[in-house]
Amino acid sequence: MHLDNENDSEDIEVRLLLEAIFLKYGSDFRSYSRLSVKRQILKMVKDQNLGNISELQHKMIWDELFFKSILPKFSINVTEHFRDPSFYKAFRNDVVPFLRTYPSLKIWHAGCATGEEVYSMAILLEEENLYEKTQIYATDINIKALEIAKGGKYLSRNLSTCSENYLKSGGKKSFSEYISVQDMDFIMDKKLKKNILFIDHNLAVDETFVEAHVILCRNVLIYFNEVLTRRVIKLFYDSLQKHGFLCMGLRESIMRSANKEHFKYLNRDGKIYRKVPSESFNRMVK
Amino acid sequence: MNVSTSGFEGIVIGGSAGSISPLCAILSALPSDFSIPIAVALHRSSGGVEFHKALGSPEMALKIYEPNDRDPFVAGKVFLAPADYHMLVDKDKTICLSTSDMTNYARPSIDELFETAADCFGKKLIGIILSGASRDGSDGLMKIKAKGGLTIVQNPLKADGETMIRSAMETTNIDYLYSPEQIGRFLKDLDKGSATL
Ligand SMILES: C[S@@+](CC[C@H](N)C(=O)[O-])C[C@H]1O[C@@H](n2cnc3c(N)ncnc32)[C@H](O)[C@@H]1O
């Protein structure tokens, strides 16, 4: 096949680099959104004062220490407590009433990064008297991020944003009631950690492990390509209870044609979907 | 699909402090059937409500739209980068959003939009820099020019913030230096096939 775009040389370099990384180290970024990955790679080239992507590839393949040092730059872990307060508000209003009707709950945070989203949800559940009956599974492929999530220790300088977001999200108390401050850090209350399991799980290869009432996968699929996205949506469908809820990032719509009969909107602006039970999903992913 | 007779397939606009009113002036000149897709990246630290009020003015025939990831980049509405996301244009002419690190201390960053759009549209792209106190957008505009696209900046003498415009003028040999009203008229005429380049 011949690509007729002017700058396909760069795209070829990107593809070769991803292939090389996979062959040499096993880290697989080949099914990530090509453009996002390319932007990250171009930033590395610039930061390292290299001339082009091929030079970066040479360095990565021959210098394992260099590769290890730069690997984290491939993943985007940006997150915060009560990120998008309007989402949490929508969740409180529209999802919580349904959750009250179940005797016990399972919630899966897929791509939880450093855990802020998980603790935010735990606080919300606590305030709605749902926490005690809930088991939370929080997963990511980034082991370092998971370690931080488990520790539940964050930088105090972000506290004002946390509190602000918490209040905007409809919080009923004060964010400070859920933490203890130690100099530069604050630590999430032990009570909140009790029902949370942090697990290493790769959305690209691992299978379903839970039948959840709610799955949150916010700001993860924007980094995947179309094929991987379809795999993950199918995985979520299979991992949800009959009328389970799926919460995506505020700029992620899954309502493209293929999914329309399998999910419906519960809250459009909050990007909260509800599973529509059906037999035909297997047909669709073919 | 509706392809503009002008031969241009995309317009990207970048602005920072003081860019809302020139942006409104430009967009107000365009009719609802304007056929070139438009993407805008603004630094929006100034915040939400005001911003939307200003941009939702009734004189504008084209609606402002904050896209979802992977929306097709098409004419008929103005794609505005959502707060806190970089907005990129992929080669298949879809929008790609990202929350990666800030570029030039900004997210959305103008360079991220301009550089990816340049890769996508080559010489069929118009890049426009408006008022601002940063140097974001200069690299992007340079890339647009390098790929043969058309470059326009707001006349710095009448802009609230000159820095961003002057910075772009230093790095790129700009094609047109216009007031916002002139930019609006120029784009409208261009699309109708009655502008002379
Ligand atoms: C931008 S963060 C989203 C954090 C949080 N959900 C939020 O919205 O604030 C994206 C996360 O997805 C994770 N991720 C990327 N690829 C993954 C994969 N294949 N399986 C599981 N997690 C993945 C990254 O490690 C990162 O922590």
Side-chain angles (χ1 to χ4, degrees), chain A residues 2 33 52 87 137 165 180 227-228 273 282:
Chain A
H2 157 82
S33 156
N52 54 51
F87 159 72
Y137 303 89
N165 282 354
S180 53
V227 176
L228 181 52
Y273 304 90
N282 286 321

Side-chain angles (χ1 to χ4, degrees), chain A residues 103-118:
Chain A
S104 69
L105 289 174
K106 288 183 186 148
I107 297 185
W108 176 18
H109 291 262
C112 67
T114 39
E116 287 86 334
E117 174 187 285
V118 187

Side-chain angles (χ1 to χ4, degrees), chain A residues 60-251:
Chain A
M60 279 194 177
I61 299 313
W62 289 97
D63 184 347
E64 181 160 358
L65 282 179
F66 172 72
F67 172 76
K68 286 205 170 126
S69 71
I70 210 165
L71 178 66
K73 301 226 177 233
F74 275 94
S75 70
I76 294 166
N77 300 310
V78 182
T79 184
E80 63 185 29
H81 287 86
F82 292 96
R83 177 185 200 168
D84 307 320
S86 66
F87 159 72
Y88 288 91
K89 205 164 203 172
F91 191 92
R92 255 186 223 263
N93 289 336
D94 295 356
V95 180
V96 161
F98 289 104
L99 300 187
R100 292 196 194 290
T101 64
Y102 296 103
S104 69
L105 289 174
K106 288 183 186 148
I107 297 185
W108 176 18
H109 291 262
C112 67
T114 39
E116 287 86 334
E117 174 187 285
V118 187
Y119 291 114
S120 305
M121 183 52 76
I123 290 174
L124 186 158
L125 295 169
E126 171 72 25
E127 293 188 352
E128 299 295 337
N129 293 318
L130 293 168
Y131 185 78
E132 285 308 319
K133 65 172 184 180
T134 305
Q135 176 62 55
I136 298 176
Y137 303 89
T139 66
D140 204 284
I141 42 163
N142 186 328
I143 311 276
K144 286 209 177 107
L146 282 176
E147 286 303 321
I148 296 174
K150 264 182 219 163
K153 194 166 154 189
Y154 304 100
L155 293 175
S156 296
R157 70 171 135 91
N158 297 331
L159 256 180
S160 61
T161 320
C162 298
S163 300
E164 228 170 82
N165 282 354
Y166 165 81
L167 291 174
K168 279 193 216 153
S169 79
K172 293 177 175 169
K173 299 181 183 168
S174 149
F175 189 73
S176 59
E177 299 202 16
Y178 300 99
I179 59 166
S180 53
V181 179
Q182 301 185 337
D183 306 328
M184 309 286 278
D185 301 312
F186 68 88
I187 299 174
M188 304 308 300
D189 197 329
K190 262 212 225 65
K191 275 197 322 233
L192 297 172
K193 294 184 182 168
K194 197 176 53 168
N195 297 349
I196 306 175
L197 273 177
F198 290 100
I199 312 164
D200 147 30
H201 180 279
N202 183 345
L203 292 167
V205 296
D206 292 334
E207 297 304 325
T208 166
F209 63 95
V210 62
E211 236 183 68
H213 299 82
V214 180
I215 296 177
L216 297 96
C217 185
R218 311 192 67 234
N219 307 298
V220 179
L221 294 192
I222 50 175
Y223 303 109
F224 291 178
N225 74 9
E226 200 57 42
V227 176
L228 181 52
T229 297
R230 253 179 297 170
R231 174 193 203 268
V232 176
I233 301 270
K234 163 94 166 74
L235 177 69
F236 290 160
Y237 189 86
D238 292 342
S239 307
L240 276 173
Q241 305 245 350
K242 209 165 171 201
H243 295 282
F245 301 90
L246 177 60
C247 307
M248 307 297 297
L250 290 190
R251 293 290 149 203

Side-chain angles (χ1 to χ4, degrees), chain A residues 168, chain B residues 15-21 23 41-55 80-81 83-84 105-108 131-133 160:
Chain A
K168 279 193 216 153
Chain B
S16 187
S19 65
I20 299 213
S21 91
L23 179 66
L42 296 185
H43 301 161
R44 331 172 31 171
S45 41
S46 50
V49 186
E50 285 303 304
F51 184 82
H52 277 273
K53 234 193 285 171
L55 283 176
L80 176 69
D84 236 8
Y105 310 102
R107 189 173 57 222
S131 165
D160 278 352

